Amino acid sequence: MIHSRNRRLRVNESIRSLVRENILTTDDFVMPIFVMEGENKQEAIPSMPGIFRRSIDLTVKECKELFSLGVKSVNLYMKVSDHLKDNTGKEAWNKDGLMQTTIKAIKDAVPGMIIMPDVALDPYSIYGHDGIIENGKILNDATNDALARMSVSHAEAGADIVAPSDMMDGRVLAIREALEDSGFTDVGILSYSAKYASSFYGPFRSALDSAPKDEMEIPKDKKTYQMDFHNSREALNEVFKDIEEGADIIMIKPGLPYLDIVSKVREVIDLPIAVYNVSGEYAMVKAAAQNGWLDNDKTIIESLTCFKRAGADLIFTYFAKEAAILLNK
């Protein structure tokens, strides 16, 4: 005779929900947003169905809708005009630049929205790299100086949390000291601590035209600073160093293929963990759903819940708006 029957707690939805371990809510989401120059402009991103580049005015409109749905945080990326790009990234800290103007516009329109601007030089670089290049190499410390200036300019514009995604050594400390010295003691740092050199970023780089350029004198990929996807212990080393340097939240990127890293980090730290459900993951689900191979809505909710189960507290996802609509139903 069987005395212990696990199925007793799966008999119906009421029982299943009563003992459910992880609950997905709109509070978990951060929506990545692409911003472009112009007015009343919106451009579809072919590899990311349902995702657009928008001018500031339409970005503000989108943020108002997101907030009404319960999505209370956005992660900002700029589509920078080619004539503003160089090897120093100086447009990144222009007080009247596209990023800074966007931050101010969103804060004015939706004061409660948490704004997390991306901190990296690749959208501003003529080479498409996250750092300044000299003699064919990515300069670490010079790049950190640029990232610190960029972060302070974001804070001045009204950002709540800066999100360095570059993977330079020591950049969290450089940014933390610059923010402190400038009086922005309440501005947080969400550090991309374990960001892997991944093939899953393709649609994102198309959206911003930020892929490394194929030129003889520069690295053709980002493997000298982003992590080797073969490694897991290395992620813990990166995480611990960023925490020591002053990170408030740590990020693991990509998401679904790296749930083992999320779980491993969760076991050893108490800080909030963010995970990035990246563009390639989004594109795969959308392509499969459009072909009738997956149920779009069910796959979205299941995928996002998996991040919670693995130990993530924040989920950066292009599904944020769609998932919020589903959850609100």
Side-chain angles (χ1 to χ4, degrees):
M1 180 181 298
I2 301 175
H3 293 283
S4 177
R5 295 181 183 270
N6 293 335
R7 291 181 57 192
R8 292 185 189 120
L9 300 182
R10 304 175 196 151
V11 169
N12 55 50
E13 176 58 20
S14 294
I15 292 177
R16 290 192 296 272
S17 63
L18 190 66
V19 298
R20 190 159 287 153
E21 298 174 33
N22 296 286
I23 307 297
L24 189 70
T25 78
T26 58
D27 291 334
D28 300 319
F29 302 147
V30 180
M31 180 71 181
I33 289 182
F34 300 116
V35 184
M36 61 186 294
E37 297 281 2
E39 187 174 347
N40 196 33
K41 291 180 67 176
Q42 177 171 286
E43 294 178 355
I45 300 169
S47 57
M48 300 175 70
I51 302 300
F52 302 88
R53 289 181 290 263
R54 297 182 176 91
S55 54
I56 294 177
D57 54 335
L58 296 186
T59 297
V60 168
K61 183 179 178 182
E62 179 72 1
C63 287
K64 289 179 178 178
E65 185 174 357
L66 286 167
F67 200 79
S68 72
L69 291 169
V71 179
K72 301 168 186 172
S73 181
V74 291
N75 176 221
L76 301 180
Y77 298 89
M78 302 296 113
K79 175 66 170 67
V80 180
S81 299
D82 287 343
H83 74 278
L84 296 174
K85 298 181 180 183
D86 63 11
N87 187 35
T88 70
K90 64 180 182 295
E91 178 62 20
W93 55 86
N94 177 1
K95 65 182 179 62
D96 298 315
L98 183 59
M99 175 68 87
Q100 290 75 5
T101 306
T102 301
I103 294 170
K104 292 174 185 175
I106 295 172
K107 262 307 176 193
D108 287 344
V110 195
M113 181 68 82
I114 299 301
I115 301 176
M116 302 184 187
D118 181 61
V119 177
L121 297 185
D122 50 333
Y124 303 88
S125 168
I126 54 174
Y127 298 117
H129 272 286
D130 293 49
I132 297 167
I133 295 179
E134 186 176 289
N135 297 324
K137 293 184 178 181
I138 312 297
L139 300 182
N140 191 93
D141 296 1
T143 298
N144 285 347
D145 293 340
L147 297 173
R149 295 185 68 177
M150 185 179 182
S151 298
V152 170
S153 77
H154 292 174
E156 290 172 342
D160 301 280
I161 298 172
V162 294
S165 63
D166 56 285
M167 289 297 288
M168 297 297 124
D169 291 335
R171 92 276 204 210
V172 172
L173 180 59
I175 292 170
R176 184 73 270 161
E177 290 181 342
L179 290 172
E180 296 288 320
D181 290 344
S182 302
F184 295 108
T185 56
D186 291 334
V187 173
I189 298 176
L190 183 149
S191 174
Y192 287 58
S193 300
K195 181 179 180 180
Y196 286 82
S198 172
S199 299
F200 286 90
Y201 304 148
F204 173 93
R205 290 175 179 168
S206 297
L208 291 184
D209 187 27
S210 62
K213 306 306 181 202
D214 189 8
E215 299 181 16
M216 288 292 292
E217 71 274 14
I218 65 171
K220 292 179 173 57
D221 54 44
K222 300 188 177 186
K223 293 181 179 179
T224 66
Y225 46 100
Q226 294 179 358
M227 285 179 54
D228 185 343
F229 65 81
H230 299 84
N231 298 346
S232 60
R233 294 192 304 272
E234 183 184 9
L236 298 180
N237 183 34
E238 292 281 0
V239 166
F240 289 139
K241 285 182 177 177
D242 283 0
I243 293 173
E244 290 172 4
E245 292 178 14
D248 301 287
I249 304 170
I250 68 100
M251 166 75 85
I252 294 161
K253 182 180 181 181
L256 288 174
Y258 294 80
L259 291 181
D260 62 315
I261 306 301
V262 178
S263 181
K264 187 183 291 287
V265 172
R266 177 78 288 165
E267 290 176 358
V268 295
I269 74 166
D270 295 323
L271 260 64
I273 295 175
V275 65
Y276 206 130
N277 182 206
V278 300
S279 60
E281 299 166 43
Y282 177 91
M284 289 193 301
V285 171
K286 284 300 181 184
Q290 288 177 351
N291 281 282
W293 300 333
L294 290 174
D295 182 298
N296 180 78
D297 296 355
K298 292 179 180 178
T299 304
I300 290 172
I301 299 302
E302 180 180 345
S303 298
L304 297 179
T305 303
C306 288
F307 294 124
K308 292 290 293 290
R309 191 188 66 230
D313 302 289
L314 293 76
I315 305 169
F316 284 54
T317 178
Y318 302 97
F319 290 120
K321 183 177 180 180
E322 201 172 352
I325 293 170
L326 293 172
L327 292 174
N328 288 333
K329 288 180 180 178

